[in-house]
Amino acid sequence: RKEVEQDPGPFNVPEGATVAFNCTYSNSASQSFFWYRQDCRKEPKLLMSVYSSGNEDGRFTAQLNRASQYISLLIRDSKLSDSATYLCVVNMFDTGRRALTFGSGTRLQVQP
Amino acid sequence: DARVTQTPRHKVTEMGQEVTMRCQPILGHNTVFWYRQTMMQGLELLAYFRNRAPLDDSGMPKDRFSAEMPDATLATLKIQPSEPRDSAVYFCASGSVGAGRTYEQYFGPGTRLTVT
């Protein structure tokens, strides 16, 4: 089992739709969680951190479920510019190689 | 707007040649990461440093790859000798880690390496 798993997609949605991605992680000691966005042939960019209480940034909402070991990203009122690959990152603080693990990404294509 | 910079942005070289990639982390960040990304493998962590000391380089092929931080403003990743399977995009990222802080990482634009 991979340490961090994501559905690769693609998720094809119309503009204005609400779309949700999940990411599961295998290490119950994982301590910090992030969502990154990566456009084609560009570097990953931090989208948002994921806090235990859940957090929202505009149209984006991130949730953490420690009991089931997954994080989620919800995008409301999706825009064409949201088309990208969304990477989840699971970190275990200060334990060497396993500390920094990226999922393989979920591709989102928003269509007009 | 502080950014991570990487040079060169593109590199084409022949098998067997030495390749050196450079990274300037964001000023004040104490942690630097090197990643490699390919279509097949996704994003792989090669090595990372905190306060210029190597914390983990277990992701690197030791016989040909080396990573160093000669000073706080420069990180290098060297491949010698290069092989076609090293063709990938190499990203550097930096972050600030302290007690209770988390690994928010900021990526450079990457070096696109092609080894023929």
Side-chain angles (χ1 to χ4, degrees):
Chain A
R1 183 183 173 188
K2 288 183 180 178
E3 290 179 309
V4 180
E5 292 201 67
Q6 294 183 253
D7 181 341
F11 283 55
N12 295 304
V13 303
E15 271 186 291
T18 296
V19 61
F21 311 132
N22 279 346
C23 167
T24 58
Y25 60 94
S26 60
N27 192 327
S28 60
S30 298
Q31 294 186 351
S32 54
F33 310 87
F34 307 93
W35 284 102
Y36 279 73
R37 169 198 170 122
Q38 187 172 25
D39 293 288
C40 188
R41 299 178 74 85
K42 297 285 190 181
E43 72 272 24
K45 291 185 178 175
L46 180 65
L47 181 64
M48 57 198 306
S49 304
V50 186
Y51 303 121
S52 296
S53 55
N55 47 302
E56 188 174 308
D57 183 1
R59 298 181 293 109
F60 298 83
T61 301
Q63 298 275 357
L64 167 63
N65 186 317
R66 285 193 184 272
S68 300
Q69 294 183 206
Y70 74 85
I71 62 174
S72 64
L73 178 68
L74 181 79
I75 306 175
R76 289 181 299 277
D77 188 24
S78 52
K79 313 288 185 192
L80 294 175
S81 57
D82 294 334
S83 298
T85 296
Y86 291 83
L87 304 163
C88 74
V89 182
V90 175
N91 294 347
M92 200 167 84
F93 194 66
D94 270 353
T95 57
R97 184 155 191 12
R98 290 165 62 83
L100 302 153
T101 306
F102 277 72
S104 55
T106 297
R107 195 155 68 88
L108 171 66
Q109 184 66 48
V110 181
Q111 295 162 337
Chain B
D1 189 20
R3 296 184 184 188
V4 176
T5 58
Q6 289 185 249
T7 57
R9 294 290 305 276
H10 301 272
K11 176 73 175 179
V12 180
T13 191
E14 292 182 347
M15 183 173 65
Q17 296 299 305
E18 178 178 298
V19 175
T20 299
M21 290 168 270
R22 293 176 174 81
C23 167
Q24 182 172 11
I26 292 172
L27 189 65
H29 281 183
N30 64 355
T31 312
V32 173
F33 310 84
W34 282 105
Y35 291 91
R36 175 171 64 183
Q37 188 173 40
T38 62
M39 289 293 293
M40 296 299 294
Q41 298 294 328
L43 203 58
E44 302 173 275
L45 177 66
L46 297 176
Y48 75 100
F49 295 78
R50 180 172 310 146
N51 297 322
R52 296 177 54 203
L55 284 192
D56 182 25
D57 62 1
S58 59
M60 291 199 311
K62 294 291 191 303
D63 56 338
R64 300 185 299 108
F65 283 59
S66 61
E68 294 180 345
M69 269 201 84
D71 63 60
T73 64
L74 177 64
T76 62
L77 179 67
K78 190 175 295 187
I79 308 174
Q80 168 61 22
S82 57
E83 297 180 2
R85 59 180 167 150
D86 300 330
S87 298
V89 181
Y90 290 81
F91 289 108
C92 173
S94 72
S96 185
V97 177
R101 286 293 307 277
T102 56
Y103 283 105
E104 292 177 351
Q105 301 171 42
Y106 298 87
F107 282 74
T111 294
R112 189 170 296 274
L113 174 65
T114 303
V115 183
T116 61

